[in-house]
Amino acid sequence: MNAVEYSLNAGAGNPFSEDPSLQMAATPIWREAMFPLDWMALRSSPVYYGCGIPAGEGEPVVVVPGFLASDLSMTELYWWLARIGYRPYFSNVGHNADCPDHVASLLLETIRRAYRDTGQRVRVVGHSLGGMLGRHVALDYPEYVNLVISMGSPFKDAVKAHPLLHAATESLRGVHGRHVAKNVKPSCFSGHCTCSFVKNMIAPEEYEVAHFAIYSKRDGVVDWENCIEDDASLNDEVNCTHLGMAFHPGVYRVLASRLRQAAEGHHEPGY
């Protein structure tokens, strides 16, 4: 059985078994074992120390972890942003393994707090599902968000990811998953859900804020073509694993550039 033929559902009676918004992808997941090399590359790079990159001026930046991860996974990025002059905030969403609409409501609380603290619209940097959550909040609440940068986020069309990722979402919908994801409904993480998060991912309105996408062709979890904008000028390619996007010098170099670009207003209103 190949990845495309893989089925998430053990029983044929699952009403959400047929979902065109979720597709299996034969991604090279074995590459994810190499993610420690991405972290080592960061620690040995001048970028880690803020050398040769544009600095911030106290602008608020909220960092959002990926699926099944917590703010702990964004610690390296958090402190790096502080070192180069930004005012970082953890997302405070707990483990990103609950109903996306519920997690997005927690993220919105943090974004509103950062907005109140600084008097500035907030920059959101999200890894994988975290980037999708950031895009969702930016679409519904542009008055609080200055820009969104997604890192390895499968926001385009259907979510194309390795079968193991789809199996993980299926397990969260199961009986045992409720101990971790208390707000998950049977339709969560599927195109059958009618929540605003799914609406914004499947049929988003035009963005009022800047939005950029970072992707890697070495991504072993999601299909990289699922993580890019139609407008190539909004995309930045890096050379790292999916997990390593949270701590890779190439990613950090792009982040410094895009954050500064937005601060200087080098984008159009719907860009």
Side-chain angles (χ1 to χ4, degrees), residues 51-191:
C51 300
I53 57 173
E57 298 177 354
E59 299 93 340
V61 182
V62 174
V63 294
V64 193
F67 180 54
L68 298 180
S70 69
D71 284 331
L72 183 63
S73 69
M74 307 301 280
T75 301
E76 198 77 82
L77 178 56
Y78 176 96
W79 289 113
W80 175 77
L81 287 167
R83 284 199 302 278
I84 67 170
Y86 290 95
R87 182 169 178 179
Y89 289 79
F90 285 120
S91 67
N92 291 316
V93 300
H95 276 89
N96 194 352
D98 210 331
C99 165
D101 225 33
H102 171 72
V103 176
S105 69
L106 300 177
L107 175 59
L108 176 59
E109 290 180 12
T110 300
I111 290 173
R112 281 175 167 159
R113 177 165 60 86
Y115 177 81
R116 290 194 301 267
D117 288 350
T118 64
Q120 299 184 56
R121 288 165 65 212
V122 179
R123 291 80 175 147
V124 181
V125 177
H127 182 208
S128 196
L129 177 58
M132 298 166 73
L133 292 166
R135 284 169 171 265
H136 164 56
V137 173
L139 282 165
D140 283 355
Y141 300 93
E143 65 270 28
Y144 297 122
V145 181
N146 174 268
L147 88 158
V148 178
I149 303 176
S150 58
M151 306 184 299
S153 302
F155 59 82
K156 186 178 178 182
D157 303 321
V159 174
K160 300 175 184 176
H162 192 275
L164 288 176
L165 187 68
H166 290 293
T169 62
E170 179 68 15
S171 68
L172 288 176
R173 289 192 290 259
V175 175
H176 298 296
R178 301 301 170 82
H179 298 296
V180 177
K182 300 184 189 272
N183 299 282
V184 165
K185 299 175 285 294
S187 60
C188 274
F189 302 106
S190 80

Side-chain angles (χ1 to χ4, degrees), residues 13-61:
N14 189 332
F16 305 115
S17 60
E18 296 297 327
D19 184 1
S21 70
L22 301 175
Q23 298 179 17
M24 305 299 168
T27 55
I29 200 164
W30 58 268
R31 289 181 179 168
E32 295 305 309
M34 311 291 282
F35 81 87
L37 298 178
D38 295 324
W39 181 83
M40 292 172 62
L42 174 65
R43 286 304 185 100
S44 61
S45 171
V47 171
Y48 179 74
Y49 304 97
C51 300
I53 57 173
E57 298 177 354
E59 299 93 340
V61 182

Side-chain angles (χ1 to χ4, degrees), residues 179-250:
H179 298 296
V180 177
K182 300 184 189 272
N183 299 282
V184 165
K185 299 175 285 294
S187 60
C188 274
F189 302 106
S190 80
H192 297 288
C193 190
T194 58
C195 73
S196 59
F197 171 81
V198 170
K199 176 188 75 68
N200 281 340
M201 292 302 102
I202 293 178
E205 301 291 335
E206 185 175 350
Y207 281 89
E208 297 180 34
V209 304
H211 50 103
F212 304 108
I214 300 174
Y215 70 98
S216 171
K217 292 181 180 179
R218 289 179 56 206
D219 199 311
V221 176
V222 297
D223 183 344
W224 67 268
E225 293 182 297
N226 199 207
C227 304
I228 59 176
E229 297 278 2
D230 291 330
D231 183 348
S233 69
L234 304 180
N235 301 319
D236 292 285
E237 182 181 354
V238 294
N239 186 27
C240 66
T241 63
H242 183 83
L243 296 175
M245 284 195 180
F247 34 77
H248 185 269

